[in-house]
Amino acid sequence: MPQEPAHITDVDTRYLESLIGYNARRAALVSMELFLPNMAEFDLRPVEFSVLSLVNHNPGITSRQLCTALSILPPNLVGLVNRVEKRGLLQRQPHPHDGRAQGLHLTAAGSKFMREAERAATALEQQVASALSASEAQTLMRLLRKVYRRAD
Amino acid sequence: MPQEPAHITDVDTRYLESLIGYNARRAALVSMELFLPNMAEFDLRPVEFSVLSLVNHNPGITSRQLCTALSILPPNLVGLVNRVEKRGLLQRQPHPHDGRAQGLHLTAAGSKFMREAERAATALEQQVASALSASEAQTLMRLLRKVYRRAD
DNA sequence: TATTGTTATACTCTATAACTATA
DNA sequence: TATAGTTATAGAGTATAACAATA
């Protein structure tokens, strides 16, 4: 056991690395760091990508549903939707059954855009998972979902 | 295959859930949500806990080393260290070999405080990992480290 | 010349309160 | 009365530039 050296060379991170939250946060930050340059041509932040992807796969989804699915607070979604709407990627449409709500839909340009963006994100995934085998990557995601899906 | 329903009931998140970054971020957010109430008595934010824990296990560590180990930018660490120093948990001391640097050390009160805080964090870990077996938790952390340790 | 720590500051992200229109 | 969307705003977190002291 070292005698509490006053001059540290290698930092002992073993305790922090025994905590799931610490490890998940570090991995998430690295993933987002890789996202930015690799997705630069799309000018999308991670959350914007997530929103557009959910609209892509759930046409007619409401803001409220997006907020619940992605843990975004409603006031913070407004500006985000406004931006991608101004870029011509997304449209608000009247909701068929609820006059308060609006269904969100990708425009034709938005659909094409998201096809390419999701292809790029899937390619980027190879970099994020470069140290993992295919089966390790699947295991990792399955275990992460067990952590954040509290009620399943 | 559904005909693009305009009224979504269950949100299809399958594509996003195929991305490591998305899953890691969701799990990190849930972990931090659990951290706040469970660690409330210590009045520590996750990053403050990480800093104090590294000082605890690496007495004499410098700010620069902390920044590197935790991916914090130096200007953002200053206020954080000031706060825990004002709380009497941490002390800056002259560095033995480098006049520019300062070694960070826990005070006696800080040591006692961090013993209890780390015990609480370890107990909290049982909640974070409640859906995982012990071996699944170990696997999860091992795979997460493979993601964020780009050069190993 | 490079590095440590610091200040000042800007920018982004996240959170809260209150309002409207509709259910 | 409750909910969807919105506005305004506050707070937390993260970023860059520039400086003094030391290597």
Side-chain angles (χ1 to χ4, degrees):
Chain A
M1 209 187 287
Q3 291 290 88
E4 301 215 344
H7 178 56
I8 307 293
T9 51
D10 262 338
V11 177
D12 177 1
T13 57
R14 284 174 296 175
Y15 175 73
L16 288 181
E17 287 182 5
S18 76
L19 302 176
I20 289 175
Y22 174 80
N23 290 284
R25 182 164 157 73
R26 298 304 304 265
L29 289 177
V30 165
S31 300
M32 306 222 313
E33 265 170 36
L34 290 170
F35 185 96
L36 296 177
N38 279 276
M39 300 293 285
E41 60 173 305
F42 301 99
D43 191 23
L44 286 179
R45 283 164 288 184
V47 185
E48 290 174 334
F49 174 80
S50 295
V51 165
L52 287 174
S53 176
L54 284 192
V55 176
N56 187 24
H57 296 282
N58 301 273
I61 191 173
T62 66
S63 293
R64 192 71 171 83
Q65 290 176 305
L66 275 178
C67 286
T68 301
L70 295 175
S71 295
I72 301 175
L73 292 174
N76 299 328
L77 183 64
V78 177
L80 198 159
V81 170
N82 284 340
R83 275 190 297 276
V84 291
E85 190 177 34
K86 273 173 194 146
R87 288 176 65 179
L89 302 175
L90 179 147
Q91 267 186 335
R92 289 171 163 102
Q93 290 179 12
H95 191 281
H97 303 107
D98 189 335
R100 298 168 301 181
Q102 305 175 18
L104 303 179
H105 301 262
L106 294 191
T107 61
S111 283
K112 180 166 181 294
F113 179 86
M114 281 309 292
R115 264 195 301 279
E116 296 166 13
E118 289 188 350
R119 189 160 44 207
T122 301
L124 159 63
E125 190 69 3
Q126 307 307 314
Q127 285 185 50
V128 175
S130 60
L132 304 178
S133 72
S135 99
E136 281 179 324
Q138 291 305 312
T139 299
L140 172 56
M141 291 188 279
R142 180 175 59 80
L143 297 179
L144 285 170
R145 282 192 288 270
K146 283 195 176 189
V147 171
Y148 71 78
R149 284 191 193 150
R150 309 300 300 171
D152 226 12
Chain B
M1 213 187 287
Q3 291 291 86
E4 302 213 346
H7 179 56
I8 307 293
T9 50
D10 262 340
V11 178
D12 177 1
T13 56
R14 284 174 297 174
Y15 174 73
L16 288 182
E17 288 183 3
S18 76
L19 302 175
I20 289 174
Y22 173 80
N23 291 284
R25 182 165 158 72
R26 298 304 304 266
L29 288 176
V30 165
S31 299
M32 307 222 313
E33 265 170 35
L34 290 170
F35 184 95
L36 295 177
N38 280 277
M39 300 293 286
E41 59 173 306
F42 301 99
D43 191 23
L44 286 180
R45 283 165 289 185
V47 185
E48 291 175 333
F49 174 80
S50 296
V51 164
L52 287 174
S53 176
L54 284 191
V55 175
N56 188 25
H57 295 283
N58 301 272
I61 191 172
T62 67
S63 293
R64 193 69 169 85
Q65 290 176 306
L66 275 178
C67 286
T68 301
L70 294 175
S71 296
I72 302 173
L73 292 173
N76 299 329
L77 183 64
V78 176
L80 197 159
V81 169
N82 284 340
R83 274 189 297 277
V84 291
E85 190 177 35
K86 272 172 195 147
R87 288 177 65 182
L89 303 175
L90 178 146
Q91 267 187 335
R92 292 172 163 101
Q93 291 180 12
H95 191 281
H97 302 108
D98 189 336
R100 297 167 301 182
Q102 305 175 20
L104 302 179
H105 300 261
L106 294 191
T107 61
S111 282
K112 180 165 182 293
F113 180 85
M114 280 309 293
R115 264 196 300 278
E116 295 166 14
E118 289 188 351
R119 188 160 46 207
T122 300
L124 159 63
E125 189 69 3
Q126 308 307 313
Q127 285 185 50
V128 175
S130 60
L132 305 178
S133 71
S135 100
E136 282 179 325
Q138 291 305 312
T139 298
L140 172 57
M141 290 189 278
R142 179 175 59 81
L143 297 179
L144 285 171
R145 284 193 286 269
K146 282 195 175 189
V147 171
Y148 70 79
R149 285 190 191 151
R150 308 301 299 170
D152 224 13

